[in-house]
Structure formats: C-alpha cells, structure tokens
Amino acid sequence: MGPMTATPAANRPKRVLLAAPRGYCAGVDRAVIAVEKALEQYGAPIYVRHEIVHNKYVVQTLERKGAIFVDQATEVPPGNIVMFSAHGVAPTVHEEARQGRLKTIDATCPLVTKVHKEAVRFAKEDFDILLIGHEGHEEVIGTSGEAPDHIQLVDGPEDVANVEVRDPSRVVWLSQTTLSVDETMETVDALKEKFPQLISPPSDDICYATQNRQTAIKELAGQSELVIVVGSKNSSNSQRMVDVAKQAGAPAAYLVDFASEIDEAWLEGVTSVGLSSGASVPDVLVQEVLEWLAQRGYVDVELVKTADESLTFSLPKELRDQDLRAKAAALVENE
C-alpha cells in the first residue's frame, strides 16, 4: 500500500457543521409568545415599545398579526396596552406609561431583570457601579436608568482609562447580558488592574444562552472555512458570534438575516460551512439557509452539540388578567 495523500479540497465532500444550541433562548421565546398571546387575548392593536427582540423577520411577522412597534411609550394613544421588550426598560419608562394612561405588559427577560435588581441593590449600598456594555444598546439604557447616579458605562477594555470612582474600595461591575464572554472578562481584568478591590456580581451576568452559542461557534470555527450566523445587524449577541468565530480561527464569517443575503462568492473553495444563529432567531430561517446550501451541494449536515438547554420562563404575569383591555380603556373614561 502506497503512502496516504490528503484529499484535495476540490474533491472533499461538502458539508455543513450545524451548531447546537442555536437560535431562540428562553427569554426571546417568552417575549415573542407574550406578544402573540396578548394579541389573541385582547385583540389588536398591541403596542410594543421598541422591537420585542432584535430580529427583522420576527418583528415583521408580529406586525402582520397586529402588533404596532413604537420608539417610545409616549407615542401610544391613551387607553391602550403597551408591552416592554425583552431588553428591559428604565423606571422612567414605566412612569411615562402610567402618565400616558396605558396598561403595561412587561416582557423583560428575567436574566435582564436580575441585573436590574443587582444595580438597584448596589446603588442602595452606595457603590459605584461599572456597567460593561455597548453605548446606546437598549439593555444598557434600561439598566443604567435603574441607578443613573451610580452607574457609569465601560464600553470595552480601551474605555477603562477614563473610569473614575469615588471610593476604590466600593466598586462593583455588572454587564450587558449579550456580550462576548471573552470580551467581558478582558474588560474585567483591565478594571481589576486599576481597582484591585473591584467586586464581581453575585452571579455571572453573561446570559447562559449567549455563552452556549459562543461556545458552539468556537467549536465550529476551527473546522470551517466559512461561518454563517443568521441574525439581524442590530442584534448584539449575533454580532458577537461573528466576532467569536473569527477570533476562533474561521477564515471568514458573515451575519445574514435571510438565505437570500448569502453571496455565492463566499463559497469559492469552501468544503466546510459552519452555521449557527443568534438568540433572537427562529429556526425557520436556519432551515432556509440549509436548503440554500443543499442546492449548492452542501447536503451533508453534521450537528456540533456543545450543550443541552432546557430552561423555560413563565409568561409575564399581566397576561393572566383577562380584563386588561377594559382596564386600559377605563383609564381614559375615568378622567
């Protein structure tokens, strides 16, 4: 038997490495179902402040069912129901809804609510709170609003030089839940160097789903010449997955909302495609990408599983109130 030779790339079977877990996390699932249930229970329209989750397809689907997305609660006509998105809102937004004579349904992800509660507790204890996150992200705006006098944003390790605190022995860090784990720890390390007495939150604030999706994509990246992440451009966790794939060795990684956005040129010379999706992406969009790839010869699909997810959250308690629509209308009638 002669010496073994490597199979040339052109003759290797084309395959897709499909990440598991991927797609919807428990918080997104809960928020999307909450909008659907509210529409069923109370009828259209249900107003939603900001996108319920950062996904184009989900938002368009819910709009067709009767959801109306607004930038601010102040845009909603009095006597209506407004839902708050999975990213959470500041206390001032709850007050705006009350002043606007609106009934509210709070679909904030319970993991985000946990960070809000930590912010309130540390502010009461008069700590300086360093919130690691991206400026302008809805979740960051909501968390900061819980204790604006105590919270300052740290947007990555390069921001650490600008941080000043009142008492270096009373400093704690919190974080946006959808960041990259590695990126967050890099910022924490830089903060600890500057403030050796920095306290960590009682539990890891990086969301379990963000972490699991990043672990799976790292596993894929080393074995793929191209990684495709299905997700929207304004989805922080989806953007981070593309970054993580590149850092983990994928020669190319792209974010697409739909299969139609994939450029055929990306496939040139590629035998292994890694595929995953952000935490706010329904699996129907991943299936469309699989079909698109199968039509181009990538029919062999291998599941790359790095974790099991079984967490579920109960729906917002306000949905148990059958009379919410009538109560909203009464807010205007009783003026």
Side-chain angles (χ1 to χ4, degrees):
M1 193 171 148
M4 287 187 70
T5 53
T7 313
N11 299 330
R12 273 189 226 137
K14 291 177 174 181
R15 62 176 185 162
V16 180
L17 299 172
L18 182 61
R22 65 180 180 278
Y24 273 9
C25 61
V28 163
D29 202 33
R30 171 183 186 264
V32 174
I33 291 170
V35 181
E36 291 171 340
K37 284 264 188 240
L39 285 163
E40 270 171 42
Q41 218 158 285
Y42 312 122
I46 295 292
Y47 289 87
V48 184
R49 185 186 178 275
H50 290 173
E51 294 188 349
I52 187 71
V53 296
H54 285 154
N55 185 264
K56 215 185 265 188
Y57 174 89
V58 171
V59 168
Q60 289 168 354
T61 304
L62 292 172
E63 276 177 336
R64 282 196 293 273
K65 291 180 178 179
I68 297 174
F69 293 90
V70 294
D71 287 333
Q72 301 301 337
T74 48
E75 295 170 44
V76 181
N80 274 286
I81 297 170
V82 65
M83 188 177 291
F84 299 139
S85 79
H87 307 103
V89 297
T92 51
V93 176
H94 286 275
E95 183 53 30
E96 280 172 9
R98 203 180 65 75
Q99 298 277 355
R101 303 187 301 288
L102 305 172
K103 279 292 177 186
T104 61
I105 299 171
D106 192 352
T108 302
C109 172
L111 300 178
V112 174
T113 300
K114 181 173 71 70
V115 179
H116 280 223
K117 285 179 175 164
E118 286 169 2
V120 170
R121 182 167 71 83
F122 282 112
K124 270 188 186 148
E125 293 171 16
D126 204 29
F127 274 77
D128 276 355
I129 301 164
L130 306 179
L131 177 62
I132 300 169
H134 295 309
E135 192 166 357
H137 189 275
E138 282 158 48
E139 189 188 321
V140 163
I141 294 165
T143 304
S144 300
E146 292 287 359
D149 298 339
H150 287 81
I151 291 177
Q152 54 182 308
L153 182 64
V154 185
D155 198 340
E158 60 290 337
D159 216 9
V160 171
N162 309 319
V163 177
E164 287 178 21
V165 298
R166 294 167 301 158
D167 177 355
S169 69
R170 295 187 70 72
V171 188
V172 63
W173 69 269
L174 299 176
S175 91
Q176 181 182 330
T177 62
T178 52
L179 295 184
S180 138
V181 184
D182 298 340
E183 174 191 16
T184 302
M185 293 328 291
E186 211 181 307
T187 308
V188 170
D189 291 345
L191 285 169
K192 279 186 175 162
E193 215 165 283
K194 189 168 182 176
F195 308 111
Q197 290 166 282
L198 180 74
I199 292 171
S200 294
S203 55
D204 186 0
D205 283 337
I206 297 289
C207 153
Y208 79 96
T210 299
Q211 206 153 345
N212 287 349
R213 277 147 194 70
Q214 288 175 15
T215 301
I217 212 131
K218 276 183 191 173
E219 189 76 21
L220 290 181
Q223 308 169 58
S224 309
E225 294 122 310
L226 165 69
V227 171
I228 294 171
V229 177
V230 183
S232 289
K233 304 283 182 289
N234 63 341
S235 162
S236 181
N237 80 84
S238 302
Q239 292 274 16
R240 296 291 78 72
M241 286 168 73
V242 174
D243 299 341
V244 168
K246 288 176 182 169
Q247 284 156 10
Y254 298 98
L255 184 65
V256 299
D257 255 302
F258 305 104
S260 56
E261 293 176 10
I262 301 169
D263 187 339
E264 301 241 7
W266 299 346
L267 300 174
E268 215 165 296
V270 168
T271 54
S272 289
V273 178
L275 177 60
S276 190
S277 57
S280 44
V281 177
D283 214 48
V284 61
L285 300 180
V286 175
Q287 296 308 319
E288 283 176 9
V289 172
L290 284 173
E291 284 165 29
W292 189 95
L293 289 167
Q295 285 162 12
R296 286 149 185 86
Y298 298 84
V299 286
D300 181 12
V301 179
E302 288 176 34
L303 199 64
V304 177
K305 192 172 189 178
T306 51
D308 279 305
E309 288 181 356
S310 55
L311 184 67
T312 55
F313 295 129
S314 56
L315 288 171
K317 61 183 186 305
E318 298 93 340
L319 286 169
R320 286 178 229 139
D321 186 347
Q322 298 294 334
D323 300 324
L324 200 64
R325 175 71 73 195
K327 286 177 182 174
L331 291 173
V332 179
E333 286 159 19
N334 298 340
E335 278 188 322

